[in-house]
Amino acid sequence: MRLLGALALSIYLLLAPQAFAALWYVDNTASGANNGTSWADAWTSAGAIAGLSPGDTVYISGGAAGQSYSWTRGWTPTNGTAGNPITFAVGQDAGKNGMVTFVNDINPGGANEWLATNTREYITINGEVSGQRRMTIDSSFAIVAYNANFSAGDKHIRLLYLEWDGPTIYTHGGYYEIAFCHGIAPLSFTDDSFISYIGEGAGATQAVGINSIHDNYFEVPKVSATGSGFDLFKWVRNTDIYNNTLVSVINGSYAGSQHQDGIQAATINLRIYNNYWEGFSNAALFLATFGEDAAGMRIYNNVFNANDASGPPIWIGSGGVSTGTISDTIIANNTAICNSSGTGRGIFFGVSAALTVGADVNIVNNLVYRCLSNETVVTSLLGGSPTISNNVGGTTNLAFVNNSTYPTNDFHLTAAATAAIDLGLFSAPAYLTSVFTTDADGLSRPQGSAWDIGAYEFDQGGAGPAPDPPAGGSFLSSQRPASLTRPTSPARAVR
């Protein structure tokens, strides 16, 4: 009996936090008691929300066809706890599941944040309704989430299914997830950077896969094909970046002077895979040691489309600092397409200053199309030798389904791409297969006698499901709602 009693108590303690989690409601058209306990008695504003406990969910009405809320700038919602976050979500009921729009209540157009994350933790913001985004952060806010405190530590904050056109994200700390969002950068901001400091900061856990940014569409401006523009990601680390579409577009109203990269960051615990990058004028990936010893970098299955730009797809160096060793790095099976004039550059490694190359640095199976002098991988000023093998360049016997720009592009291989099909490393070494064994669509490698070069395998049949993050990936992945699915990939060419 004692054993049964102890077992019952254990089950009770395990389930109790969730069992007593409450549901609350916000609707600025409600006319009842306004105590948040039902749609009829819903709170009508952010300032009215009170009495939340860890594990609670607050539903916000979007009405039948959309509803706007004048929302407190610098919003600091109640904290959750480990395993019991506070969740703010769009109403799921008919008549309550329209688009929720948050508008700055104090200083429209000012440099104000929607969510202040400095002292906040274990908070989930979820704008999903049946797999669609139904939550918008209005451009009257300058920042979606803000924390300038370098010592803030781990935050455990999830931003899911949000839309914004104008605000940025500027927040230190660890354990962030940004997923299934659609964001467009403004024309000016601090350092002209769109998403900054994820994973940075004293007290933030320093390890592979702590943060994740996935399944988003993000767009930033540039002044011209080769001119200045916004950095999309800046100073992020300990982060998995995957399954995103990341695009730079010309906007003549941009007046900044930032040299534009898709990402500018230290080469520490970054896993960047299965993304599409387009049009970044300096480099899609500018990763440097900046005086630190760097490791844990995995860059694979990406498509880099320079479009009109002439910068390299990947630029790895020391950031102008003469110290720093890079090791344990894989750059593999990426597809990079230079501009149509053939003046773009290949993959650059170690070109800014003396860079020490340690053990296990491998650059293999990359397809670099139509670059200057048929460049594939360019190395310079290296203290040590990375492994560089089975990369292919030029244009001969390389053919894609549709070599164009987003959204009509399709860089799957056709049967004519005989310089890439089955010409990767014949027997994929363990350093590759321990990281990934699929292409950018989730199709198993190899389909023929050897891995194909580039982001996609060429074969008959359809793509499998999107692969899960690698072992040791973000703890947040297992918490995704079942409705979050990756869109079906384009039809594949047949062998």
Side-chain angles (χ1 to χ4, degrees):
M1 291 297 292
R2 286 184 179 178
L3 181 60
L4 290 175
L7 179 60
L9 178 61
S10 298
I11 293 173
Y12 170 80
L13 292 175
L14 179 65
L15 298 180
Q18 292 297 334
F20 296 111
L23 302 181
W24 303 91
Y25 303 87
V26 177
D27 185 343
N28 58 12
T29 67
S31 57
N34 300 135
N35 57 15
T37 56
S38 67
W39 284 125
D41 296 321
W43 292 308
T44 58
S45 67
I49 299 173
L52 301 184
S53 298
D56 287 359
T57 296
V58 179
Y59 287 110
I60 304 170
S61 174
Q67 209 157 305
S68 294
Y69 291 82
S70 180
W71 209 254
T72 305
R73 78 177 181 94
W75 178 41
T76 55
T78 302
N79 286 336
T81 58
N84 295 284
I86 300 287
T87 299
F88 295 86
V90 177
Q92 302 295 299
D93 302 314
K96 303 293 184 181
N97 59 5
M99 179 67 75
V100 171
T101 301
F102 297 106
V103 179
N104 192 328
D105 72 339
I106 294 179
N107 186 20
N112 302 306
E113 69 272 17
W114 176 61
L115 175 65
T117 61
N118 183 13
T119 59
R120 301 300 91 190
E121 60 184 12
Y122 296 104
I123 293 169
T124 295
I125 312 293
N126 190 351
E128 186 249 351
V129 175
S130 301
Q132 302 297 313
R133 289 181 297 272
R134 295 287 176 84
M135 191 176 284
T136 298
I137 315 304
D138 184 73
S139 60
S140 54
F141 290 100
I143 309 172
V144 173
Y146 179 73
N147 171 27
N149 180 4
F150 187 77
S151 302
D154 290 334
K155 309 309 297 179
H156 301 273
I157 290 175
R158 307 176 74 199
L159 304 176
L160 311 176
Y161 281 99
L162 306 182
E163 291 190 359
W164 66 90
D165 185 349
T168 66
I169 292 176
Y170 185 102
T171 185
H172 293 80
Y175 287 99
Y176 283 93
E177 181 176 23
I178 304 170
F180 301 95
C181 295
H182 186 284
I184 299 176
L187 293 176
S188 65
F189 189 69
T190 303
D191 294 333
D192 282 359
S193 55
F194 188 43
I195 297 176
S196 306
Y197 295 106
I198 300 294
E200 288 272 5
T205 299
Q206 303 292 303
V208 171
I210 295 300
N211 309 282
S212 62
I213 302 173
H214 63 90
D215 296 278
N216 304 286
Y217 174 89
F218 291 140
E219 180 182 303
V220 294
K222 61 181 178 180
V223 69
S224 63
T226 58
S228 302
F230 251 68
D231 285 342
L232 203 155
F233 300 114
K234 182 171 279 187
W235 310 129
V236 299
R237 64 170 68 195
N238 310 308
T239 299
D240 291 348
I241 300 173
Y242 61 95
N243 293 357
N244 301 286
T245 297
L246 309 164
V247 177
S248 172
V249 298
I250 293 174
N251 188 320
S253 297
Y254 174 75
S257 57
Q258 173 68 37
H259 75 274
Q260 185 186 54
D261 303 305
I263 177 172
Q264 177 178 309
T267 50
I268 298 176
N269 295 332
L270 289 174
R271 296 191 294 199
I272 303 170
Y273 59 97
N274 295 8
N275 302 288
Y276 176 77
W277 308 75
E278 180 177 296
F280 293 94
S281 58
N282 186 61
L285 274 58
F286 176 59
L287 303 170
T289 56
F290 296 105
E292 299 184 76
D293 290 335
M297 187 161 58
R298 305 286 184 264
I299 302 171
Y300 61 91
N301 285 353
N302 295 280
V303 174
F304 301 99
N305 183 5
N307 187 13
D308 51 5
S310 58
I314 303 172
W315 183 321
I316 294 178
S318 61
V321 182
S322 60
T323 59
T325 296
I326 186 167
S327 59
D328 185 26
T329 290
I330 295 172
I331 302 171
N333 286 96
N334 300 287
T335 295
I337 300 92
C338 289
N339 60 38
S340 59
S341 60
T343 58
R345 308 307 301 270
I347 297 171
F348 270 38
F349 195 89
V351 296
S352 18
L355 177 68
T356 301
V357 178
D360 301 318
V361 177
N362 299 280
I363 307 173
V364 299
N365 290 357
N366 297 287
L367 191 164
V368 185
Y369 180 82
R370 197 178 55 200
C371 289
L372 181 68
S373 301
N374 293 334
E375 287 178 351
T376 54
V377 179
V378 180
T379 62
S380 175
L381 301 174
L382 295 175
S385 301
T387 296
I388 301 174
S389 178
N390 292 72
N391 303 287
V392 64
T395 60
T396 304
N397 298 328
L398 289 171
F400 305 110
V401 173
N402 186 9
N403 185 355
S404 62
T405 56
Y406 180 84
T408 59
N409 57 281
D410 185 346
F411 291 102
H412 289 87
L413 301 173
T414 68
T418 54
I421 296 170
D422 293 343
L423 290 178
L425 293 173
F426 180 75
S427 180
Y431 70 76
L432 283 186
T433 58
S434 64
V435 175
F436 69 108
T437 57
T438 59
D439 74 355
D441 283 337
L443 189 69
S444 295
R445 295 183 184 270
Q447 290 294 305
S449 60
W451 285 29
D452 293 349
I453 292 174
Y456 297 107
E457 286 283 313
F458 173 80
D459 201 75
Q460 59 185 356
D468 288 329
S474 171
F475 83 111
L476 298 165
S477 300
S478 62
Q479 300 178 15
R480 297 180 209 156
S483 60
L484 307 194
T485 56
R486 189 180 178 195
T488 303
S489 299
R492 306 180 65 87
V494 177
R495 185 182 295 275

